[in-house]
Amino acid sequence: AKNAGKNGYRFYEASMQETLIHKLNMERSLRAAVSNEEFLLYFQPIVYLETGLVSGFEALLRWNNPQQGLVAPGEFIPLVEESGLIVPIGKWVMRAACAFARKLTNMAYADTYVAVNVSVKQLASEDFVPMVRAALHEAAVPPTMLELEITETILMNSECLTTNIAKLKELKDMGVRIALDDFGTGYSSLTYLKQLPIDVVKIDKAFVDDLTEGGKNGPLMGSIIALAHNLGLKVVAEGVETEEQRKLLREWQCDSIQGYLISRPVPEAEVLKVCMKSKDS
Ligand code: C2E
Ligand code: CA
Ligand code: CA
Ligand code: CA
């Protein structure tokens, strides 16, 4: 069997029937996982490049499967989307992320935000906006503490593009921050950025890696950041692993970074310790 690596997808040399059975079993386990409360969130800090202070935290879903242990989203999100389970699971994520945001306000981190990944299927579901509103209300969290991350390719390819954009606009008008995730991997057209109701652009790890792997994208990175700034957007670089990348991103005037250099995603109990550390460094 070949392991495709970074996205965690594995292609087994199995017969189609075995694959189907595996899928059905997994779907059944995932269905049960919602009611058995087997999901949890990990958090990864996002820090300002200039000060090293925490600007926010990205919430990343984990599945604590009784047989397999901790499973990363790459292994189950595609199936979760295909089966429609993304709606109940996504709602659980939103509520858990808001509960975490509530704790932050109690810990003098009220000026930070929690970023939640939203799949387009979820965004397209009828009660998405009321669901977000209810989650914020229930946790008594101001909308400004929530960021929604949407992948550009998925958004642009979706059937209900106009409705989805209207929903994002409604949330943005409430004060929720909207981030365009994985930027640079899809359309990479900067001109349409203006037309989207976004506040933040998250530059994909692949693009960041290229900076130090002999790539010639430095100036391109610089112009992307400058253009985003001209449009009034903030820029976060993802997957920053080395000091050299941090240095280059600072030269290109990127606003914030996220990546193993600062911290891996960690359980809630550990995340505040990490924040203290990053303040000192
Ligand atoms: P993403 O939104 O692009 O999240 C960033 C991914 O990069 C995370 O993987 C994170 O652990 C990883 N990462 C962060 N810094 C580094 C680094 O320095 N080096 C490397 N190699 N990796 C880094 P993770 O947690 O496995 O999540 C994978 C994807 O699953 C996410 O990609 C997101 O698209 C999706 N996902 C995660 N949680 C949720 C969720 O609650 N809902 C939805 N719909 N999708 C989710
Ligand atoms: Ca994300
Ligand atoms: Ca991303
Ligand atoms: Ca990604």
Side-chain angles (χ1 to χ4, degrees), residues 193 198-201 225 227-235 255:
L193 277 186
I198 53 171
D199 305 279
V200 181
V201 170
I225 294 172
L227 194 118
H229 285 163
N230 279 335
L231 295 171
L233 307 172
K234 296 288 179 210
V235 182
D255 300 287

Side-chain angles (χ1 to χ4, degrees), residues 58 117 149 151 180-183 202-205 238-239 258:
E58 179 169 2
N117 291 285
E149 298 194 353
T151 306
L180 198 60
D181 205 353
D182 297 354
F183 188 79
K202 294 193 79 173
I203 297 184
D204 194 74
K205 181 181 192 320
E238 295 190 297
Q258 174 183 1

Side-chain angles (χ1 to χ4, degrees), residues 13 35 44 56 58 89 100 114 199 219 221 224-225 231 234 236 264 280:
E13 289 158 356
S35 41
Q44 187 178 33
E58 179 169 2
I89 294 174
F100 175 68
V114 179
D199 305 279
M221 175 77 93
I224 287 176
I225 294 172
L231 295 171
K234 296 288 179 210
V236 178
R264 288 183 176 253
D280 303 336

Side-chain angles (χ1 to χ4, degrees), residues 106-233:
N106 297 337
M107 290 165 157
Y109 275 104
D111 56 346
T112 61
Y113 60 87
V114 179
V116 175
N117 291 285
V118 172
S119 87
V120 148
K121 256 217 175 143
Q122 206 188 344
L123 179 61
S125 73
E126 208 168 339
D127 71 336
F128 182 75
V129 177
M131 183 278 285
V132 174
R133 223 187 266 277
L136 287 167
H137 183 79
E138 182 188 23
V141 163
T144 47
M145 280 191 79
L146 179 67
E147 178 178 288
L148 302 181
E149 298 194 353
I150 322 275
T151 306
E152 60 157 343
T153 338
I154 298 183
L155 182 66
M156 300 314 284
N157 284 338
S158 67
E159 289 160 27
C160 17
L161 180 65
T162 340
T163 340
N164 286 342
I165 288 180
K167 285 182 188 182
L168 292 178
K169 179 149 194 322
E170 187 180 345
L171 289 159
K172 185 177 152 76
D173 289 345
M174 273 167 62
V176 174
R177 299 153 58 101
I178 313 290
L180 198 60
D181 205 353
D182 297 354
F183 188 79
T185 56
Y187 283 71
S188 303
S189 151
L190 293 160
T191 43
Y192 78 88
L193 277 186
K194 281 203 285 281
Q195 291 144 39
L196 298 176
I198 53 171
D199 305 279
V200 181
V201 170
K202 294 193 79 173
I203 297 184
D204 194 74
K205 181 181 192 320
F207 223 66
V208 172
D209 284 344
D210 202 62
L211 275 181
T212 43
E213 282 166 7
K216 296 177 184 67
N217 281 337
L220 182 56
M221 175 77 93
S223 25
I224 287 176
I225 294 172
L227 194 118
H229 285 163
N230 279 335
L231 295 171
L233 307 172

Side-chain angles (χ1 to χ4, degrees), residues 6-7 41-42 44 58-62 72-74 76-77 80-81 86 89-90 93-94 116-120 122 149 151 181-182 202 204-205 209 238-242 245 258-265:
K6 80 173 177 186
N7 289 321
L41 292 182
Y42 270 32
Q44 187 178 33
E58 179 169 2
L60 293 157
L61 187 59
R62 298 290 181 265
F76 64 89
I77 288 279
V80 158
E81 293 203 0
I86 192 68
I89 294 174
V93 170
M94 196 63 68
V116 175
N117 291 285
V118 172
S119 87
V120 148
Q122 206 188 344
E149 298 194 353
T151 306
D181 205 353
D182 297 354
K202 294 193 79 173
D204 194 74
K205 181 181 192 320
D209 284 344
E238 295 190 297
V240 178
E241 293 182 346
T242 68
Q245 289 169 343
Q258 174 183 1
Y260 294 174
L261 179 66
I262 308 300
S263 164
R264 288 183 176 253

